[in-house]
Amino acid sequence: MEYQSVFETAIGKLKSERRYRVFADLERDAAAYPNARWHHDGRAADVTIWCSNDYLGMGRHPQVIAAMRDTAEKVGVGAGGTRNISGTNHAVVELEAELADLHGKQGALVFTSGWISNLASISTIADLLPNCLILSDALNHNSMIEGVRRSRAECKIFRHNDVAHLEQLLKKAGRERAKLIVFESLYSMDGDIAPIAAIADLAERYKAMTYMDEVHAVGLYGPRGGGIADRDGVMHRIDVIEGTLAKGFGTLGGYIAANSAVIDAVRSYAAAFIFTTALPPAVAAAAHAAVRHLKTSQAERELHQRQARTTKHALSAAGLPILDNPSHIVPVMVRDAELCKAASDLLLERHAIYIQPINYPTVARGTERLRITPSPMHTEAHIAELVEALVDVWKTLKLPFEPVPSAEILDFPARTEARCTYPDFKLAAE
């Protein structure tokens, strides 16, 4: 067998479908974020980052850096192994207590990433529930889908944010069957928000358990940064809240928060937790500092929301096709994979602005976009430069200047059929 040709063919397929990913070599400047150095072709140039998930810039916050540095100097940089073998370092214990308090739960469990926390937790919880039926939103993140696929439970997919469709499936399953509703609070590609209270109502009515991903909302929303559920006063109504330390908190890792029995069960049964090296203590200490700071500081959240609103307004005023939504996510719709990549390249090469193109399978075909994420560090001057650059790119590529309906009413293909990354499941019939 010609092994090499198999891989070359696979890569060639991605390139022919305009899905081949190119990663820019970037060196962030902590003192001057969102500025960075772009390394390419043996040269380096200054660029402005407009698509980072370090939404609040906590990755360069002095308290967070100091916590990491001081802990590394004191205990070293490694975790020493899995928690099962090497024990739990104290920094992780303190972080888990802080996260449990953040979400008003009895306990929390930290993983090495948000992707792993979803994979491990969803699959473990569903497998421990007898004859469990998973009800999963059609636009759930890949990590949640992989958690569903890894479990042995039956799965039905409900139309995105459609509580009427979800109720049909719950009613059909019956009140006595174990059911796990899996959804996100804030969907990161379109920026729309789940009807959390309505889903909680259905869960209570039909005796279902709820599992909610808050990764794009923790740190950013709520009086203490607990996410959308914190903002809306419904955290106590959600059984399991999953979050990340790598976005609003600017570090690395994922976690779940729930009652002590759920936490202990996942800790004891999830292979992806048991056999994975623990989060290093310096990283845990940095995350702890970020969580603790954002519990009391409103400045970052307020400025972040203001700059997101300002960016949306400026881009819309220029006639650019912004997908309107109630969150901090700013999708600029291109709707063509090749043109989306060309727009990204032009922004970087001509205007020194870095925005990664978002193509299939992250979003459905025909919904390709540039996903902009303003931060508190983006100034009015940055926003003006962004608008000018995007207008130039749109004119150069002859892209249409046209309004786009809001995320709640837009009838994208991904909203009417199962998302492309659900290969084993289909949207449940009414």
Side-chain angles (χ1 to χ4, degrees):
M1 183 176 184
E2 293 291 336
Y3 293 104
Q4 186 71 13
S5 66
V6 172
F7 303 109
E8 291 173 351
T9 299
I11 293 300
K13 181 175 184 291
L14 290 179
K15 289 181 176 179
S16 68
E17 295 175 355
R18 303 296 188 268
R19 294 198 291 124
Y20 182 71
R21 298 171 188 261
V22 178
F23 302 142
D25 181 353
L26 298 173
E27 181 182 359
R28 295 206 312 176
D29 186 340
Y33 184 77
N35 293 339
R37 294 287 283 172
W38 173 39
H39 297 270
H40 65 110
D41 298 330
R43 296 177 290 115
D46 292 329
V47 299
T48 303
I49 298 176
W50 269 102
C51 57
S52 173
N53 281 345
D54 185 0
Y55 294 127
L56 301 178
M58 292 303 294
R60 39 84 70 187
H61 193 283
Q63 293 178 19
V64 176
I65 293 173
M68 177 174 282
R69 182 184 60 244
D70 294 347
T71 304
E73 289 177 349
K74 180 180 178 181
V75 304
V77 297
T82 66
R83 293 166 72 170
N84 183 54
I85 296 295
S86 303
T88 298
N89 67 73
H90 189 59
V92 171
V93 174
E94 292 181 319
L95 173 60
E96 288 176 339
E98 195 78 62
L99 291 167
D101 175 76
L102 175 67
H103 294 292
K105 303 298 184 185
Q106 292 177 343
L109 191 66
V110 168
F111 298 78
T112 50
S113 74
W115 196 92
I116 290 295
S117 61
N118 271 332
L119 172 75
S121 302
I122 292 171
S123 60
T124 301
I125 292 168
D127 282 350
L128 288 174
L129 294 171
N131 191 30
C132 178
L133 171 65
I134 299 175
L135 301 167
S136 185
D137 188 284
L139 291 190
N140 276 340
H141 187 263
N142 170 266
S143 58
M144 305 176 79
I145 296 166
E146 291 300 323
V148 171
R149 294 178 63 200
R150 187 179 178 86
S151 79
R152 296 183 294 273
E154 180 185 2
C155 173
K156 291 188 180 297
I157 302 166
F158 62 92
R159 289 188 296 270
H160 177 57
N161 279 351
D162 189 334
V163 292
H165 189 208
L166 174 59
E167 182 168 19
Q168 291 174 5
L169 299 175
L170 287 166
K171 187 179 297 185
K172 185 175 181 181
R175 287 169 54 84
E176 299 311 312
R177 183 176 183 182
K179 299 171 290 294
L180 180 66
I181 304 172
V182 178
F183 66 106
E184 299 181 45
S185 66
L186 193 162
Y187 291 83
S188 63
M189 288 299 113
D190 291 351
D192 55 342
I193 292 173
I196 301 173
I199 291 174
D201 288 342
L202 290 178
E204 292 167 7
R205 187 178 308 153
Y206 293 98
K207 295 185 177 180
M209 187 174 177
T210 48
Y211 181 106
M212 184 174 70
D213 177 310
E214 283 260 39
V215 297
H216 289 276
V218 289
L220 284 72
Y221 296 87
R224 300 202 307 158
I228 300 296
D230 183 22
R231 183 196 69 179
D232 296 347
V234 293
M235 284 195 301
H236 63 287
R237 302 187 64 194
I238 303 300
D239 295 302
V240 183
I241 294 176
E242 187 268 347
T244 185
L245 304 167
K247 295 180 173 63
F249 297 126
T251 54
L252 180 70
Y255 66 90
I256 58 169
N259 67 40
S260 56
V262 171
I263 295 298
D264 200 18
V266 174
R267 181 191 69 85
S268 301
Y269 281 91
F273 172 81
I274 295 169
F275 298 105
T276 297
T277 297
L279 206 64
V283 175
H288 187 190
V291 175
R292 188 171 58 243
H293 173 79
L294 289 173
K295 278 184 176 179
T296 59
S297 176
Q298 301 299 327
E300 291 85 1
R301 282 189 284 276
E302 290 172 359
L303 185 54
H304 176 245
Q305 289 294 318
R306 188 181 81 181
Q307 296 308 84
R309 289 193 301 268
T310 301
T311 303
K312 287 182 179 181
H313 177 76
L315 294 174
S316 295
L320 290 156
I322 306 303
L323 179 59
D324 188 27
N325 60 54
S327 74
H328 62 282
I329 304 295
V330 187
V332 186
M333 304 307 297
V334 180
R335 304 190 187 194
D336 180 276
E338 194 164 357
L339 288 172
C340 195
K341 177 65 167 61
S344 175
D345 290 344
L346 266 177
L347 284 170
L348 186 57
E349 294 162 5
R350 184 183 292 181
H351 298 282
I353 288 175
Y354 174 67
I355 305 175
Q356 182 75 354
I358 305 295
N359 292 337
Y360 175 89
T362 306
V363 295
R365 299 182 198 274
T367 72
E368 294 84 2
R369 82 272 317 258
L370 299 175
R371 176 181 175 273
I372 295 170
T373 54
S375 76
M377 282 66 69
H378 285 98
T379 65
E380 308 302 313
H382 284 131
I383 295 171
E385 291 167 0
L386 174 67
V387 173
E388 182 179 352
L390 281 170
V391 167
D392 174 66
V393 167
W394 248 244
K395 289 179 177 178
T396 300
L397 297 177
K398 295 181 172 54
L399 294 169
F401 289 82
E402 60 185 8
V404 178
S406 69
E408 285 83 355
I409 63 174
L410 194 61
D411 189 23
F412 280 160
R415 295 179 178 278
T416 57
E417 61 184 68
R419 193 180 179 194
C420 51
T421 44
Y422 273 103
D424 303 330
F425 309 109
K426 293 182 178 179
L427 190 71
E430 296 184 9

